[in-house]
Amino acid sequence: MPKISVIIPVYKVEEYLKRCVDSVIGQTLRDIEIILVDDGSPDNCPAICDEYAKKDDRVRVIHKKNGGVSEARNVGIEAALGEFIGFVDPDDYIEADMYEYLYDLVKKENAEISMCEFFHCYQGKEPEKNEEISVETVDSETAIYYVLESKRASMTLVNKIYKHEIFDDNLRFPVGKVQEDAFLIVDILDRAKKVVISNFQKYYYYHRMNSITTMHFSEHDFDCIEAFDYDYKRCCEINREYLEPVARMRCCWVRFFVLDKMALAGVKNTEQRSKIIKYLKANKSFILKNDVLTMGRKLSFISLYFGFGIYRALVKQNAKRNKKRYE
């Protein structure tokens, strides 16, 4: 049994794949298996995967028909043999000691999950580095709070390792949905007794420029709302008094996120847009008093009372500022 099974879903990432896999193969923790799930990629990715399997017997390749990242991760989970499971996205890469660091944390604290922090990478810019390192061991409810708050821990699954048993009982990613991490993170954390949270940056999260400068809208963006509404329901079941406020903040945040994308894309989906605005206005007092939502977000919310055109103008102005920031 390897200590960690690292699952990498592969689809149309020929430009980035070798950098990613090299960073995993080069881990200081050698006792790992690397599961490359070729999700029917139409480019040279399948051949690249097979090349790595020939060079390193820790690499296993699974070729399958295209079904999306959730299905690919699920296939990887089914095949995993490790004591722990980790995920890496194929356009990202990791520090050479990331998995040794995360494994040492869970063993030292007798925890089921450990997580590190990201380097946020933008083309042509040096990533910012945390000056002070902190490590905290918390229970599952505190970990859920931290993840939903997104100040001390991130919602994404890729910068963490999980005890294999957490994925027993058919806990799997929802196939056909986007924001698959949000659909699963609360259920995952709820199955842990101890979670170790470190802000030591070990994972290089690569932001492609088109994700910053263009907010393409898709009907799948409504999956994001569905995911956080599900998390809200689960949080109320787990500990309503403690978790409900932070879960409701996330429900408001994701509606702003989708509304922004609709505004930038000029979408005139009046029924869905009206539902989102109605929800936000119903939470007016909560939004204005919340100390996690930014002042800019609160001002844009107020603008909704003067018409969607004003809201759209504010969103476009903010998008231009972000574009200049990353140019």
Side-chain angles (χ1 to χ4, degrees):
M1 178 187 293
K3 291 178 178 177
I4 302 175
S5 296
V6 183
I7 299 168
I8 305 175
V10 177
Y11 184 75
K12 294 177 71 172
V13 284
E14 185 177 352
E15 180 181 354
Y16 312 101
L17 184 58
K18 288 185 178 181
R19 180 183 65 182
C20 172
V21 179
D22 285 342
S23 73
V24 180
I25 284 178
Q27 289 293 293
T28 54
L29 180 65
R30 303 297 296 170
D31 189 9
I32 63 175
E33 67 169 351
I34 303 159
I35 303 174
L36 302 177
V37 184
D38 163 36
D39 191 33
S41 189
D43 55 8
N44 198 41
C45 285
I48 294 173
C49 291
D50 290 338
E51 288 175 12
Y52 277 106
K54 292 177 181 177
K55 292 188 292 185
D56 193 318
D57 60 10
R58 297 175 302 163
V59 178
R60 297 163 59 196
V61 180
I62 300 172
H63 298 288
K64 59 179 290 295
K65 292 182 179 180
N66 179 248
V69 63
S70 290
E71 187 176 289
R73 283 177 172 176
N74 290 341
V75 168
I77 291 170
E78 295 291 339
L81 302 174
E83 178 187 2
F84 287 82
I85 290 177
F87 303 95
V88 178
D89 284 340
D91 49 356
D92 299 332
Y93 57 103
I94 60 179
E95 284 279 327
D97 65 343
M98 187 184 91
Y99 282 121
E100 182 176 12
Y101 180 71
L102 292 176
Y103 189 80
D104 286 347
L105 287 179
V106 291
K107 287 300 181 179
K108 179 181 178 182
E109 299 296 330
N110 192 27
E112 292 84 10
I113 299 172
S114 65
M115 62 183 78
C116 60
E117 187 54 271
F118 293 112
F119 284 108
H120 288 280
C121 302
Y122 302 95
Q123 188 173 358
K125 289 188 175 291
E126 285 293 320
E128 296 180 2
K129 189 174 183 179
N130 292 336
E131 295 298 328
E132 297 183 6
I133 304 302
S134 64
V135 179
E136 184 178 3
T137 301
V138 300
D139 60 20
S140 62
E141 291 180 8
T142 304
I144 291 169
Y145 187 98
Y146 283 0
V147 161
L148 291 176
E149 184 189 42
S150 292
K151 288 184 177 180
R152 285 161 284 198
S154 66
M155 180 162 292
T156 56
L157 295 177
V158 291
N159 58 331
K160 305 169 176 66
I161 60 171
Y162 314 85
K163 194 75 173 176
H164 195 142
E165 287 77 9
I166 284 176
F167 291 96
D168 285 352
D169 304 323
N170 296 316
L171 182 63
R172 297 292 184 268
F173 293 95
V175 176
K177 301 286 187 180
V178 301
Q179 201 69 28
E180 65 279 353
D181 292 4
F183 271 104
L184 220 59
I185 190 64
V186 171
D187 284 332
I188 287 174
L189 293 173
D190 186 45
R191 294 182 174 211
K193 294 180 179 179
K194 286 185 180 180
V195 180
V196 189
I197 300 172
S198 170
N199 73 337
F200 207 165
Q201 293 160 290
K202 297 290 184 181
Y203 189 104
Y204 290 86
Y205 187 92
Y206 183 67
H207 296 264
R208 301 190 199 186
M209 289 304 295
N210 61 357
S211 66
I212 301 165
T213 60
T214 59
M215 295 280 280
H216 296 299
F217 173 78
S218 164
E219 290 292 323
H220 272 300
D221 288 317
F222 296 124
D223 292 347
C224 302
I225 294 175
E226 182 184 348
F228 284 109
D229 284 353
Y230 172 77
D231 288 342
Y232 179 87
K233 178 183 175 182
R234 289 289 293 118
C235 285
C236 290
E237 292 170 351
I238 295 165
N239 187 333
R240 173 177 285 274
E241 182 178 1
Y242 179 53
L243 294 175
E244 191 276 342
V246 72
R248 185 165 22 147
M249 181 277 294
R250 270 290 158 187
C251 287
C252 292
W253 175 89
V254 74
R255 283 169 169 82
F256 281 122
F257 171 75
V258 175
L259 197 62
D260 287 359
K261 296 184 77 171
M262 295 177 79
L264 288 174
V267 176
K268 297 180 179 179
N269 189 331
T270 54
E271 181 180 355
Q272 290 288 355
R273 193 176 77 189
S274 296
K275 286 181 180 179
I276 292 172
I277 294 173
K278 182 179 179 180
Y279 180 96
L280 293 173
K281 287 183 176 180
N283 285 275
K284 177 182 177 181
S285 178
F286 177 83
I287 290 170
L288 295 178
K289 292 179 180 178
N290 190 273
D291 57 3
V292 176
L293 298 171
T294 65
M295 183 57 66
R297 179 54 71 197
K298 293 173 184 179
L299 290 173
S300 66
F301 166 71
I302 292 172
S303 74
L304 288 172
Y305 286 90
F306 298 94
F308 190 71
I310 297 175
Y311 181 88
R312 182 188 293 118
L314 291 175
V315 171
K316 287 183 176 180
Q317 186 179 45
N318 185 58
K320 288 180 181 179
R321 284 198 298 266
N322 286 338
K323 182 176 181 180
K324 289 180 180 179
R325 178 184 174 189
Y326 297 112
E327 283 178 343

